[in-house]
Amino acid sequence: MGRLKGKTAMVVGAGSIGPGWGNGKATAVTFAREGAQVFCVDRNGAAAEETVGIIKGEGGKATAFTADVSKASDVEVMVTACLETLGRIDVLDNNVGIAETGSVVDIVDAVNLKSAFLAMRHVIPVMVRQGGGSIINISSIASIRHVGISYVSYATSKAAMNQMTRTTAVEFASKHVRVNAILPGLMKTPMVEHSAGLAQSYANGDVAAMWRARDAQVPMGHMGDAWDVANAALFLASDESKYVTGIELVVDGGITCRAGG
């Protein structure tokens, strides 16, 4: 306990799209349990408030904020509000993502990159002034592998996120701003459960059959969950990773290592 004591963490996408634990929700709670005061941002204000309620119920410190982080104006206000409320930003965790299925001829736009870009754009100057910080971008193994379904918008935007992570890590290393990415594999989260396109792609809309199919793809025999991502984020947020920057931390039960993966 106390690995983030004295730190302020901004978790973008801190709510959950449905009942259960999404990556951002679990990460916000994990950060708070380890001593951070957490600024919980979500487009759904009620979802952000739910996460804050859990944290405060456990005796932690958290503040909810509603923002659409695909909009530059919202992101600017978000960062200002965090500084006014909590005084600093030591950790930025970018969790926003849309699991949109389809090929290049089906998708109108790749949307997953913009929110992380805008948040980094506004938070990095804050961290430079403070003397450093840690940024964690939640990418996906879809950024480095074909995962068996038509997923081009998601995969392409997450691949761009990886490169943005690497180049920004190098550019701001001398300022002690660390930038890393987590690449979750096949996870059992509310976002996946409520994605009609994923269930349709895997099992003609049958969610239970989709879970079985995804479990079977993983060498460990089962999907991961939001706490696996949260624990990886905790390492990257803490001073235990003070010499780690520009990496892609794969959290996938071995799926990207298997033959043909």
Side-chain angles (χ1 to χ4, degrees):
M1 302 293 289
R3 293 160 70 184
L4 300 182
K5 185 177 181 180
K7 294 185 183 294
T8 296
M10 174 185 283
V11 178
V12 182
S16 182
I17 197 170
W21 292 92
N23 294 334
K25 183 179 178 181
T27 297
V29 171
T30 297
F31 285 177
R33 288 174 177 172
E34 290 292 339
Q37 54 181 354
V38 187
F39 195 74
C40 298
V41 180
D42 203 275
R43 183 175 61 179
N44 182 334
E49 290 286 0
E50 180 187 4
T51 301
V52 168
I54 293 169
I55 292 170
K56 288 184 174 179
E58 296 182 351
K61 297 179 180 179
T63 301
F65 191 83
T66 304
D68 181 347
V69 291
S70 69
K71 298 178 179 178
S73 57
D74 276 27
V75 173
E76 185 174 4
V77 173
M78 170 187 82
V79 172
T80 299
C82 184
L83 293 174
E84 290 177 348
T85 305
L86 302 179
R88 59 187 294 118
I89 304 173
D90 300 292
V91 178
L92 168 63
D93 187 85
N94 285 312
N95 263 283
V96 174
I98 298 174
E100 187 175 20
T101 57
S103 71
V104 291
V105 299
D106 303 314
I107 300 301
V108 175
D109 194 13
V111 299
N112 285 302
L113 182 64
K114 189 175 183 181
S115 61
F117 163 75
L118 289 172
M120 290 170 66
R121 177 181 180 183
H122 288 280
V123 168
I124 285 175
V126 174
M127 290 182 169
V128 170
R129 291 196 299 271
Q130 292 173 175
S134 174
I135 296 173
I136 304 153
N137 293 323
I138 307 304
S139 181
S140 168
I141 63 165
S143 67
I144 59 173
R145 293 286 190 277
H146 189 275
V147 293
I149 61 173
S150 187
Y151 222 18
V152 69
S153 173
Y154 186 78
T156 302
S157 57
K158 293 298 190 181
M161 177 184 283
N162 296 350
Q163 183 64 4
M164 182 175 69
T165 297
R166 288 188 292 262
T167 57
T168 308
V170 173
E171 290 169 357
F172 289 93
S174 65
K175 304 297 185 182
H176 308 292
V177 176
R178 299 186 296 107
V179 190
N180 295 290
I182 295 173
L183 277 56
L186 301 181
M187 315 304 285
K188 192 173 186 179
T189 63
M191 185 184 80
V192 176
E193 181 175 1
H194 290 276
S195 172
L198 284 176
Q200 185 64 35
S201 296
Y202 270 100
N204 295 318
D206 185 332
V207 174
M210 175 181 69
W211 291 146
R212 292 192 296 272
R214 285 166 66 92
D215 282 339
Q217 286 181 265
V218 184
M220 282 188 174
H222 61 85
M223 290 173 286
D225 60 31
W227 300 103
D228 297 313
V229 176
N231 287 325
L234 173 61
F235 167 68
L236 293 175
S238 75
D239 291 339
E240 294 164 19
S241 60
K242 63 184 177 62
Y243 199 55
V244 177
T245 196
I247 72 161
E248 297 162 16
L249 178 54
V250 175
V251 181
D252 74 344
I255 192 169
T256 54
C257 296
R258 72 186 310 170

